[in-house]
Every structure is written in C-alpha cells, then in structure tokens.
C-alpha cells in the first residue's frame, strides 16, 4: 500500500499551494543526499517526498489524485506519478533547494550527477490521443500506438561547453544599490547540460536528434474516463547529450456506445417490451459490456421498473469492484389495434384486474432514482 501523498509531506488535504511547497522544501532539505551521504533511508524519503510534491504541486494531477488516489496514476502499471529518479527530481525541482546548497559549487554527486549547477536536461513531452470503446474502458486494454519521437542520432558526439566550462551555469556580477550581487543563471549556449555537439551526422537536427517512428505499448487500466491523462515515462523526445527523455502523455477519449450509457461506474440500458410480454412475462437478451446477457421478466412487470445486474458495469479505476448494469423496463403501448383487439380492451375497461393498484414495492420514479444513488 502506497503512502498518502499528503501524509508524506505532512500537510492537510486543504493545504494551499504555498503550504505544500513549503512542506516539500523542508523535506527535501532534511533528506537531501548531500546532507545524508550513503543513507538509503534518507534517499528513500527524498524520493518519496519529491513524488508527492510532483503530484500535489500540479493542479491537474492533484485533482485526479484527490478523486482517485494512487490509482489515478499507476493503473495497470507503467504510468508515471510513480517512482522518480534523482535526475528527474533535480531537473524538475532543483530550483526549490538549489540555493540552499550553494548552486554553483554544491553537489558532490551521486549516480553520475555531475558537479556544479549542471543539470540533466529533460526532453520535451509528446502528446497523443487514444480513443477507446466502452468495452475497452470496462475491461482495460493494452494499446499499441505509433509515435514519432526524437531520438539521439547515431554518430553524434558531444564536447564540454566552452561558455560555461561544463558547469551548466554562468555567473554574472551586477552592481545594485545593495552592493555587488553575484547571480548564477543557466548557460544559454548548452541549455544547462554542460555539453555541446561536437560531431553529428547530416540527418540530425541542431541538437543531434532525429525523428524516428516507434511502437509504444500503453497499458490502460479499466475504468478510465474521457479527458483523463496517462503518462508513459521516457517515451517522449530524447534530450541531447546525457539528458533524460521526456514523457508520452496520453489523453483518453471515449466512444459513445449504441445502447449502453455510462454514469460513473454504472451502465444504463433501456429495454422495451410489448404489452403482452409485460402481462405474461418473458425473457430478453440485452447488451452488456462482456457480450449479451439474458434476463427474465416476471409476469406483471411494471413499466419503469429498474432491474439491477450487479457487477455488470465498469470496473472501478481504484480497483474496488465494479459498477452495475441498470436495465430500465419500458412497456410499449400499442398505438393501433384491430377490431378484435379493440373489443377485448373495451371489455376490460373497468375490469378489476386492469385497475392500477400500485403497491409499496412499485416505487415511484423519484424513490427509484434515490435508491439508485444510495
Ligand atoms: Zn554551457
């Protein structure tokens, strides 16, 4: 079981963006690897708090997390939000604790993270849309999509940036009314990576990248909704040099089903039966997401009755069971009658059996709707 992101940062669910940022900064400084060399517990906490901050500092992700919990990101596996590596943390949140560790000189390095203010440049994200049928939404699906992503061209070699000497930052001294101020800014020649292209083949762009088509497999968990966004880490564009690849962001679109209407995890189906079927009872095949389902209707079933087929709805994205399939029974009143039929119904007028006698179990429409949501 993953820890709650709010608990990781030690803030309440109603914490403001500023409070969340402040809480994260405190955690990041406390567990910073430079302060806790070789302490794997501290590193774990450092990563955990970064992951929590990554989600809670992004209004979009925060809203999804508040609604769906961790399931909004892990689903059937492979989606982001999950474990960030050190490079991600420094490239995304470096500014938050950078100054406390002296920007220009600080990092003593771990896992190939170089000295100075050099940072791993992250490649840009790619976005695609994936359209799903209701069946795919109900059961989850693995989609293979072709993505045109920038990858490092073969034969590209890099050299240390001459402008910043590989530090990734340049220091500027300015005179202000408060005295001389020294500021470090990201090197504009190399974009902070500390490297520039030395040699590249003719088919590579200025960054040494070229576009390549790649098939990416995306696992989509059951229960996703229109407008949700999933992340496939590292399947965006590559970054030049020793940078890390961006992410592939997958926007979910859903197709309308011909006969089934979705409402949360429940599905609704309108069933029409004839007057005589309602009187005599019948059995009917109806659409469900797993295929057809046969249901039995008792003699004397009332129009407006709702039959609930438990678990035949959409699997919950949180992994807590499934919704139901609600079958709305509509009795079709004949509009045309032949002579014999007309005479029969005329004879039945005032007949006791045909008089409406609603019982407690024949709930009113409003009671049924109330039940459905309880
Ligand atoms: Zn540079």
């Amino acid at each position: 079981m993953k820890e709650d992101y709010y608990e990781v940062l030690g803030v309440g669910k109603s914490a403001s963006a500023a409070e969340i940022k402040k809480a994260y900064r405190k955690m990041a400084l406390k567990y910073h690897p430079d302060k806790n060399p070789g302490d794997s517990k501290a590193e774990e906490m450092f990563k955990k708090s970064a992951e929590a901050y990554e989600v809670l500092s992004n209004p979009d992700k925060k809203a999804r997390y508040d609604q769906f919990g961790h399931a909004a990101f892990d689903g059937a596996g492979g989606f982001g939000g999950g474990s960030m590596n050190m490079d991600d943390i420094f490239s995304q949140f470096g500014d938050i604790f950078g100054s406390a560790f002296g920007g220009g000189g600080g990092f003593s390095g771990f896992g190939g993270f170089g000295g100075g203010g050099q940072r791993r440049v992250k490649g840009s994200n790619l976005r695609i849309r994936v359209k799903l049928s209701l069946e795919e939404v109900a059961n989850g699906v693995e989609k293979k999509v072709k993505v045109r992503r920038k990858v490092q061209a073969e034969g590209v070699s890099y050299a240390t940036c001459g402008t910043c000497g590989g530090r990734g930052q340049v220091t500027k001294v300015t005179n202000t009314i408060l005295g001389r101020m020294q500021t470090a800014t990201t090197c504009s020649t190399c974009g902070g990576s500390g490297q520039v292209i030395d040699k590249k083949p003719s088919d590579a762009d200025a960054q040494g990248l070229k576009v390549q088509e790649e098939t990416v497999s995306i696992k989509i968990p059951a229960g996703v909704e229109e407008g949700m966004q999933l992340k496939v880490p590292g399947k965006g564009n590559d970054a030049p040099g020793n940078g890390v690849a961006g992410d592939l962001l997958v926007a979910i679109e859903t197709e309308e089903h011909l006969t089934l209407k979705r409402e949360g995890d429940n599905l609704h189906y309108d069933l029409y039966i004839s007057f005589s079927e309602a009187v005599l009872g019948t059995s009917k095949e109806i659409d469900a997401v797993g295929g057809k389902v046969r249901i039995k209707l008792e003699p004397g079933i009332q129009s407006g009755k709702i039959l609930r087929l438990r678990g035949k709805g959409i699997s919950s994205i949180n992994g807590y069971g499934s919704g139901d399939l609600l079958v709305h029974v509509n009795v079709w009143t004949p509009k045309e009658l032949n002579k014999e039929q007309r005479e029969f119904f005329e004879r039945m007028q005032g007949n006791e059996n045909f008089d409406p006698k609603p019982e407690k179990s024949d709930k009113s429409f409003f009671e049924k709707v109330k039940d459905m949501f309880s």
Side-chain angles (χ1 to χ4, degrees):
M1 189 63 200
K2 273 186 92 154
E3 271 172 85
D4 180 78
Y5 286 149
Y6 291 96
E7 280 172 22
V8 168
L9 294 183
V11 294
K13 294 216 192 294
S14 55
S16 68
E19 285 165 343
I20 289 171
K21 185 170 182 174
K22 198 174 153 199
Y24 171 57
R25 188 169 194 276
K26 210 172 117 193
M27 297 284 286
L29 295 180
K30 183 173 171 192
Y31 295 111
H32 196 286
D34 276 5
K35 259 194 179 173
N36 306 273
D39 182 345
S40 61
K41 272 218 173 96
E43 186 179 319
E44 193 54 37
M45 284 307 295
F46 185 70
K47 284 180 176 171
K48 253 190 209 169
S49 52
E51 183 186 325
Y53 181 66
E54 200 244 344
V55 170
L56 299 184
S57 63
N58 177 318
D60 226 39
K61 289 183 182 173
K62 184 174 181 296
R64 263 187 300 145
Y65 177 73
D66 289 343
Q67 197 180 355
F68 300 109
H70 289 295
F73 308 105
D74 338 299
F79 296 121
S83 52
M84 301 176 78
N85 64 35
M86 287 297 195
D87 289 334
D88 287 343
I89 296 171
F90 286 110
S91 76
Q92 284 192 45
F93 310 130
D95 57 317
I96 283 194
F97 39 80
S99 58
F101 282 84
F107 287 125
S108 51
F110 43 84
F113 196 82
Q118 181 187 334
R119 62 193 178 105
R120 290 259 169 117
V121 176
K122 192 169 181 196
S124 50
N125 292 336
L126 288 172
R127 286 162 201 280
I128 54 159
R129 292 167 184 283
V130 167
K131 198 160 199 169
L132 304 176
S133 69
L134 188 67
E135 278 80 5
E136 290 170 330
V137 167
N139 304 315
V141 66
E142 185 167 350
K143 285 272 181 191
K144 290 201 184 339
V145 293
K146 285 205 168 129
V147 176
R148 288 170 58 78
R149 53 187 296 259
K150 286 183 183 175
V151 295
Q152 273 191 37
E154 228 167 283
V156 175
S157 63
Y158 295 87
T160 301
C161 173
T163 310
C164 62
R167 293 192 308 117
Q169 289 196 328
V170 287
T171 315
K172 223 166 55 185
V173 177
T174 43
N175 290 308
T176 73
I177 50 166
L178 299 171
R180 276 160 63 86
M181 296 242 312
Q182 199 174 356
T183 50
T185 55
T186 301
C187 171
S188 60
T189 308
C190 62
S193 70
Q195 295 179 309
V196 289
I197 288 179
D198 183 28
K199 282 194 212 103
K200 67 178 182 74
S202 57
D203 62 345
D205 68 10
Q207 292 184 300
L209 304 174
K210 66 175 184 180
V211 174
Q212 184 178 287
E213 195 172 79
E214 199 174 303
T215 303
V216 177
S217 171
I218 307 167
K219 278 192 185 139
I220 298 168
V224 293
E225 283 181 68
E226 173 90 27
M228 274 187 174
Q229 185 173 271
L230 306 173
K231 182 166 100 175
V232 187
K235 290 295 178 188
N237 288 323
D238 270 353
N242 60 2
V244 293
D247 304 319
L248 176 63
L249 304 176
V250 183
I252 299 294
E253 289 183 359
T254 54
E255 283 168 8
E256 288 248 318
H257 192 276
L258 216 55
T259 55
L260 293 167
K261 295 277 167 284
R262 179 178 182 182
E263 181 194 50
D265 289 338
N266 288 337
L267 293 172
H268 294 268
Y269 179 85
D270 262 318
L271 174 68
Y272 287 89
I273 60 172
S274 73
F275 188 73
S276 51
E277 283 171 330
V279 173
L280 302 172
T282 183
S283 89
K284 286 276 173 188
E285 264 197 346
I286 58 163
D287 291 330
V289 281
K292 299 256 184 205
V293 172
R294 185 161 281 280
I295 58 166
K296 208 178 156 207
L297 305 174
E298 297 297 329
I301 192 163
Q302 297 297 340
S303 192
K305 173 122 184 146
I306 297 170
L307 304 171
R308 184 188 287 261
L309 305 182
R310 294 209 179 268
K312 294 276 183 195
I314 308 272
S315 299
S316 153
I317 194 162
N318 290 315
Y320 303 130
S322 300
D324 302 328
L325 171 54
L326 299 154
V327 180
H328 300 249
V329 176
N330 300 280
V331 176
W332 188 259
T333 309
K335 289 179 178 168
E336 283 177 40
L337 298 173
N338 62 27
K339 189 163 170 281
E340 187 191 356
Q341 290 162 340
R342 177 166 293 282
E343 282 172 4
F344 169 75
F345 282 109
E346 278 169 359
R347 276 208 309 281
M348 291 308 124
Q349 275 195 356
N351 182 296
E352 193 194 356
N353 289 341
F354 278 68
D355 281 348
K357 289 185 276 299
E359 292 164 19
K360 272 253 165 75
S361 62
D362 301 316
K363 290 177 186 164
S364 76
F365 173 75
F366 294 104
E367 285 172 317
K368 271 182 241 171
V369 170
K370 211 174 76 193
D371 271 10
M372 229 158 59
F373 293 104
S374 64

